């Protein structure tokens, strides 16, 4: 069931339109990722939902009630900011308690709520520390706790992990996802990191130039991109003229590098090896076929033989690993709001 | 090379220290008229100045006028700088240009302007301490602007305000509870720098109020012919005051707001 409905929302910064008839649906309990390149409007959309950015058209409804005319604090949302926005002159405990200031709760109730939330994010021992004394990961958890202590119906996450280094980011991605599932939170995560989107998103909406160009389950978006922009943005898929794979066919064929197999008969393509590179567990083979550059990934065991530049490879792929995009493919925004099982 | 540098540094330090040493000798020396050094030392001139009721009154007046001007400047400038920085970048650009005006326009020109403006009945403040307070207020603006603006740049104030709005807290509350405490050392730095300048200010004080409201600098000017030791004692006191204020401002400027 749709929990948040964004319907044909438009927003402008001065004369520049940054959201252009954006429609999105978020189901209850789902982690919905807004993914796109810098400047595509994903943070603006998040801010429009939160009420921090005025919209010039369309509507936003949460749990069936329109919220787009309400002030931010009355929308039942909380937000974790990219750089946390913790109040540096307040301790962790004071940051959380300050957030509850307007709720009219008694001191004892505020203290109980704060203590409970500090336990959830495992920061009780650091309750009296100032933010400057915390690590990046701890700051991120304080920011999350400060948002959760408001008991929001919808949690907005604006690139909350982007300021962290890669290892901590991966660990916190899993932690954040586990917490979201455990608490049954509905959340919208903004990111420009495709891996993070794949790892965390139950559903992903891809934005480009102020529009959602595809919104679907992570697996579908990855393997069945709606257009070449999505295909290019997600990973490093080979986007080839369709006629190279299926003679006479127009449009493009999308094949992920790992989907290629080296075959001995009935090849899809014959390619010439240009170079190879080791990428940890994989060896990437750069080839050319029909004038197009190709990337082919193979598992690389230690000391495994690699093809040499100039070698010719016969490449095949399972039929379901090849996705065709019609030449005039229009963006698809299916109204399927059920979260992943 | 490092050895040569240290020689030059020592020479430069000695050169800078020479006036101070001379003032100390002049303030505490006796019979310094024929030799390279005074014939004796005593504290009579310094004690005489410090116990002089006229000096104490002048110091009190200087502190009162400077304090009032700094208070008025802070009340006017801190909200204006915050408003410009957070809400009206266009105003901020104008502020950056306007705050240097008291230094860009010669003091004499400004004083003549002030005397004309404050001679009309509704604003007839000429000769009163109030005209000095009002003339000193713009002199403090650059100190506040530079120190506070430096502190504000880099603070994620927009995020703090957004976080507050989502919590249902008004901007004023975030400004009072978060932003002001974060920039408090820089406000204090503006006060200290401003005090240093105002205590040493002579042109405005002399032309706007003169002997009718004797400030420290006017007192120093009046005493210049009395005795070299007395003048040196006043200058020494003034120098030590400015030195303490400078040390305080250096210490404050090292207190960077936590990010």
């Amino acid at each position: 069931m749709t929990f948040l409905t964004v319907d044909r929302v438009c927003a402008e910064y001065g004369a520049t339109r940054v959201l252009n008839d954006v429609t999105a649906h978020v189901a209850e309990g789902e982690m919905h990722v807004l993914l796109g390149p810098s400047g595509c409007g994903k943070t603006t959309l998040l801010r429009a939902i939160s009420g921090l950015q005025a919209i010039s058209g369309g509507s936003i409804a949460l749990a069936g009630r329109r919220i787009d005319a309400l002030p931010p604090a009355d929308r039942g949302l909380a937000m974790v900011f990219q750089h946390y926005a913790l109040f540096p002159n307040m301790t962790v405990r004071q940051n959380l308690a300050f957030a509850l200031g307007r709720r009219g709760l008694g001191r004892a109730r505020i203290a109980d709520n704060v203590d409970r939330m500090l336990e959830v994010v495992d920061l009780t021992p650091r309750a009296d520390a100032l933010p400057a004394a915390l690590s990046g990961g701890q700051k991120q958890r304080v920011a999350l706790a400060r948002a959760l202590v408001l008991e929001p119906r919808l949690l907005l996450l604006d690139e909350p992990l982007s300021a962290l280094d890669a290892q901590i980011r991966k660990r916190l991605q899993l932690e954040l996802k586990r917490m979201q599932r455990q608490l049954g939170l509905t959340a919208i995560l903004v990111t420009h990191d495709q891996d993070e989107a794949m790892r965390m998103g139950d559903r992903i909406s891809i934005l480009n130039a102020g529009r959602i160009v595809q919104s679907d389950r992570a697996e579908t978006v990855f393997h069945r991109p709606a257009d070449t922009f999505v295909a290019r943005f997600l990973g490093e898929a080979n986007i080839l003229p369709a006629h190279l794979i299926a003679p006479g066919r127009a449009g493009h064929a999308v094949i992920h590098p790992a989907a290629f197999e080296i075959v001995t008969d009935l090849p899809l393509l014959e390619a010439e090896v240009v170079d190879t590179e080791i990428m940890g567990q994989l060896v990437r083979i750069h080839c050319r076929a029909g004038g197009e550059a190709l990337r082919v990934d193979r598992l690389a065991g230690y000391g495994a033989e690699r093809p040499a530049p100039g070698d010719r490879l016969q490449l095949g792929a399972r039929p379901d690993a090849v996705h065709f995009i019609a030449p005039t493919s229009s963006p698809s925004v299916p109204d399927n709001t059920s979260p992943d099982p | 090379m490092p050895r040569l540098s240290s020689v030059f540094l020592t020479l430069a330090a000695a050169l800078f220290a020479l006036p101070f040493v001379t003032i100390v000798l002049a303030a505490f020396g006796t019979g310094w008229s024929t030799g390279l050094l005074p014939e004796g030392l005593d504290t009579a001139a310094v004690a005489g100045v410090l116990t002089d009721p006229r000096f104490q009154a002048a110091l009190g007046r200087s502190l009162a006028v400077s304090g009032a001007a700094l208070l008025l400047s802070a009340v006017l400038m801190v909200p204006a700088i915050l408003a410009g920085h957070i809400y009206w970048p266009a105003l901020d650009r104008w502020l950056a240009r306007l705050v240097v005006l008291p230094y860009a326009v010669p003091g004499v020109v400004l004083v003549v302007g002030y005397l004309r403006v404050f001679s009309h009945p509704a604003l007839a403040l000429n000769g009163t301490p109030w005209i000095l307070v009002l003339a000193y207020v713009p002199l403090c603006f650059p100190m506040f602007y530079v120190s506070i603006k430096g502190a504000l740049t880099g603070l994620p104030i927009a995020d703090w305000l957004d976080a507050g709005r989502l919590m249902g807290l008004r901007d004023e509350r975030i400004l009072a509870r978060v932003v002001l405490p974060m920039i408090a050392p820089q406000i204090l730095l503006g006060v200290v720098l401003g005090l240093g300048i105002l205590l040493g200010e002579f042109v405005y004080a002399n032309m706007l109020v003169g002997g009718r409201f004797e400030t420290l600098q006017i007192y120093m000017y009046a005493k210049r012919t009395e005795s070299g030791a007395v003048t040196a004692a006043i200058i020494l006191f003034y120098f030590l005051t400015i030195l303490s204020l400078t040390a305080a401002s250096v210490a404050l400027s090292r207190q960077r707001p936590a990010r």
Side-chain angles (χ1 to χ4, degrees):
Chain A
M1 181 190 158
T2 300
F3 187 61
L4 175 79
T5 304
V6 176
D7 187 27
R8 299 176 62 107
V9 161
C10 298
E12 285 93 24
Y13 286 131
T16 311
R17 177 163 277 204
V18 281
L19 293 180
N20 204 349
D21 275 344
V22 170
T23 295
H25 305 275
V26 178
E28 193 161 11
E30 125 180 330
M31 173 75 86
H32 194 102
V33 174
L34 299 178
L35 176 67
S38 295
C40 69
K42 54 192 188 297
T43 292
T44 306
L45 177 55
L46 200 74
R47 290 174 62 81
I49 293 167
S50 72
L52 296 172
Q53 164 71 44
I55 60 173
S56 56
S59 66
I60 301 169
L62 185 68
R65 186 174 72 118
R66 273 194 68 170
I67 59 168
D68 49 80
L70 298 177
D74 296 339
R75 296 188 178 201
L77 315 163
M79 188 158 167
V80 176
F81 293 83
Q82 185 171 7
H83 298 291
Y84 319 125
L86 298 176
F87 304 131
N89 57 326
M90 298 182 191
T91 64
V92 169
R93 190 189 298 280
Q94 287 168 339
N95 260 281
L96 269 64
F98 193 58
L100 291 170
R102 206 192 71 137
R103 295 288 167 102
L105 304 173
R107 278 190 180 184
R109 177 90 188 277
I110 289 177
D112 280 352
N113 287 1
V114 168
D115 288 343
R116 187 168 48 80
M117 201 44 66
L118 288 174
E119 270 177 41
V120 169
V121 296
D122 199 18
L123 272 176
T124 306
R126 306 293 281 149
D128 295 316
L130 287 171
L134 303 177
S135 68
Q138 286 173 329
K139 283 182 196 168
Q140 196 270 341
R141 280 189 281 155
V142 177
L144 184 63
R146 192 179 66 176
L148 293 179
V149 81
L150 295 169
E151 297 177 343
R153 290 189 295 171
L154 178 65
L155 179 65
L156 306 175
L157 303 155
D158 185 10
E159 306 208 35
L161 306 172
S162 64
L164 303 170
D165 64 55
Q167 259 187 338
I168 298 174
R169 189 161 69 231
K170 274 185 186 168
R171 184 168 60 76
L172 285 176
Q173 281 168 356
L174 294 173
E175 206 171 303
L176 190 57
K177 181 74 185 163
R178 178 188 56 76
M179 219 177 282
Q180 179 254 335
R181 283 206 171 127
Q182 202 172 15
L183 300 173
L185 285 169
T186 308
I188 300 179
L189 170 76
V190 161
T191 183
H192 62 267
D193 180 340
Q194 298 91 326
D195 292 336
E196 185 170 291
M198 291 290 162
R199 203 169 281 130
M200 299 188 66
D202 296 313
R203 292 170 60 81
I204 298 176
S205 289
I206 314 272
L207 281 95
N208 184 28
R211 289 176 184 276
I212 290 184
V213 289
Q214 188 172 10
S215 184
D216 218 317
R217 294 186 309 133
E219 186 188 20
T220 308
V221 172
F222 187 72
H223 289 288
R224 297 290 179 263
D227 60 17
T228 52
F229 168 80
V230 178
R232 282 199 182 90
F233 190 71
L234 288 173
E236 298 173 290
N238 294 292
I239 301 163
L240 306 169
H243 64 81
L244 277 184
I245 307 294
R249 187 158 187 166
H252 292 89
V254 178
I255 309 174
H256 288 280
F260 277 120
E261 296 161 6
I262 295 173
V263 296
T264 50
D265 58 350
L266 297 175
L268 275 177
L269 286 167
E270 189 169 288
E272 181 183 341
V273 176
V274 176
D275 198 4
T276 60
E277 59 176 321
I278 296 288
M279 298 169 61
Q281 296 182 50
L282 298 174
V283 59
R284 171 153 294 177
I285 307 168
H286 296 274
C287 319
R288 288 200 78 78
E292 298 288 330
L294 272 184
R295 291 176 290 268
V296 178
D297 287 347
R298 308 277 297 158
L299 272 176
Y302 179 69
E305 202 174 309
R306 286 192 268 164
D311 285 357
R312 297 197 76 78
L313 298 178
Q314 291 195 317
L315 300 174
R318 289 203 326 270
D320 62 0
V322 182
H323 173 61
F324 288 100
I325 296 174
T328 54
S329 179
S330 57
S332 74
V333 188
D335 190 13
N336 171 11
T337 57
S338 59
D340 278 352
Chain B
M1 196 66 183
R3 190 172 171 158
L4 195 63
S5 306
S6 62
V7 168
F8 277 111
L9 272 176
T10 309
L11 280 173
L15 194 65
F16 281 113
L18 194 59
F20 179 68
V21 173
T22 311
I23 291 292
V24 171
L25 286 175
F28 289 98
T30 55
W32 195 8
S33 53
T34 52
L36 186 64
L37 292 169
E39 288 162 12
L41 295 171
D42 74 14
T43 56
V46 174
V49 166
L50 292 178
T51 54
D52 179 4
R54 199 175 148 196
F55 167 79
Q56 291 165 356
L59 178 63
R61 285 189 205 101
S62 274
L63 287 174
V65 168
S66 304
L70 284 163
L71 183 69
L72 199 53
S73 289
V75 168
L76 290 172
M77 275 308 275
V78 175
I81 295 168
L82 282 174
H85 181 79
I86 299 168
Y87 302 107
W88 294 292
L91 170 68
D92 193 35
R93 284 192 290 277
W94 274 106
L95 269 180
R97 290 170 198 149
L98 287 174
V99 292
V100 296
L101 270 186
Y103 291 89
V105 179
V108 175
V109 175
L110 282 173
V111 167
V112 170
Y114 288 139
L115 287 171
R116 284 184 67 88
V117 169
F118 292 111
S119 62
H120 296 291
L123 293 167
L125 299 174
N126 281 348
T128 69
W130 297 111
I131 190 172
L132 201 53
V133 171
L134 293 178
Y136 277 174
V137 167
L139 280 185
C140 305
F141 282 177
M143 309 305 146
F144 280 107
Y145 185 80
V146 171
S147 56
I148 294 173
K149 188 68 183 165
L152 291 175
T153 306
L155 290 180
I157 297 175
D159 278 357
W160 291 340
L161 293 176
D162 281 346
R165 286 166 195 152
L166 282 163
M167 294 167 193
L169 302 171
R170 295 164 64 92
D171 286 7
E172 295 90 315
R173 195 160 154 78
I174 299 294
L175 290 172
R177 289 290 307 275
V178 183
V179 178
L180 276 181
M182 292 304 295
I183 62 169
Q186 277 65 37
I187 296 176
L188 207 52
L189 175 64
V191 169
V192 170
L193 290 172
L195 190 59
I197 284 175
L198 297 187
L199 283 181
E201 202 290 315
F202 176 72
V203 174
Y204 284 38
N206 190 42
M207 293 183 72
L208 291 174
V209 291
R212 279 167 292 182
F213 188 77
E214 192 176 62
T215 61
L216 198 57
Q217 291 295 311
I218 303 288
Y219 171 80
M220 198 188 293
Y221 185 71
K223 287 278 185 180
R224 75 193 185 285
T225 53
E226 194 173 290
S227 133
V230 168
T231 308
I234 300 167
I235 292 172
L236 180 64
F237 174 80
Y238 176 72
F239 179 82
L240 290 175
T241 308
I242 297 295
L243 189 69
S244 330
L245 290 174
T246 307
S249 64
V250 168
L252 285 167
S253 63
R254 283 183 181 158
Q255 283 187 28
R256 302 301 305 156
R259 298 288 192 259

